[in-house]
Amino acid sequence: MLVLGLSAVVIVLLGVVLLLGSVVSARHRASVSADLAALAAADVVLGRAGGDPCRRASEVAQAQASRLERCAVGADDSVAVTVSARPRGAGAALGTATARARAGPGP
């Protein structure tokens, strides 16, 4: 009986660890996607690539399994983006992870 109880506790703890791992993974994915999207958009603004900066940022975010929530080009040619990523599996029920990034010319 004790073995069954301990086994149940271990299984529940394993489930919690896997759930938290999914959430942490989504947070990291959102952060990396925001950085890459901002850099890609800044390349367009600075003339290193063609197209629309926010459209390019959206494409890059989608390639990283994320979604561009906000994109703004500043007067100083900087680009600020906000990206969200949903955790995979059961972690999706906990909501989305969001990250912001900014890229552009140096001071």
Side-chain angles (χ1 to χ4, degrees), residues 2 7 19 21 32 36-37 43 46 50 53 56 68 73 87 94 96-97 101 107:
L2 179 64
S7 296
L19 183 68
V32 168
L36 292 174
D43 277 347
L46 297 175
R56 183 66 185 136
L68 182 68
V73 179
L94 298 176
T96 60

Side-chain angles (χ1 to χ4, degrees), residues 27 30-35 38 70 79-84 97-103:
R27 173 67 180 112
S31 180
V32 168
S33 294
D35 289 342
R70 180 180 166 277
V79 180
V81 299
T82 302
V83 172
S84 66
T98 304
R100 295 183 193 129
R102 182 190 167 281

Side-chain angles (χ1 to χ4, degrees), residues 12-106:
V12 169
L13 288 176
L14 181 61
V16 170
V17 167
L18 291 174
L19 183 68
L20 290 176
S22 173
V23 171
V24 169
S25 174
R27 173 67 180 112
H28 288 292
R29 190 165 18 99
S31 180
V32 168
S33 294
D35 289 342
L36 292 174
L39 289 169
D43 277 347
V44 173
V45 170
L46 297 175
R48 296 179 186 150
D52 177 63
C54 292
R55 171 168 257 206
R56 183 66 185 136
S58 179
E59 292 169 353
V60 169
Q62 286 178 0
Q64 300 296 316
S66 299
R67 186 175 72 204
L68 182 68
E69 298 290 339
R70 180 180 166 277
C71 177
V73 179
D76 62 348
D77 288 339
S78 66
V79 180
V81 299
T82 302
V83 172
S84 66
R86 290 193 68 80
R88 295 185 174 117
L94 298 176
T96 60
T98 304
R100 295 183 193 129
R102 182 190 167 281

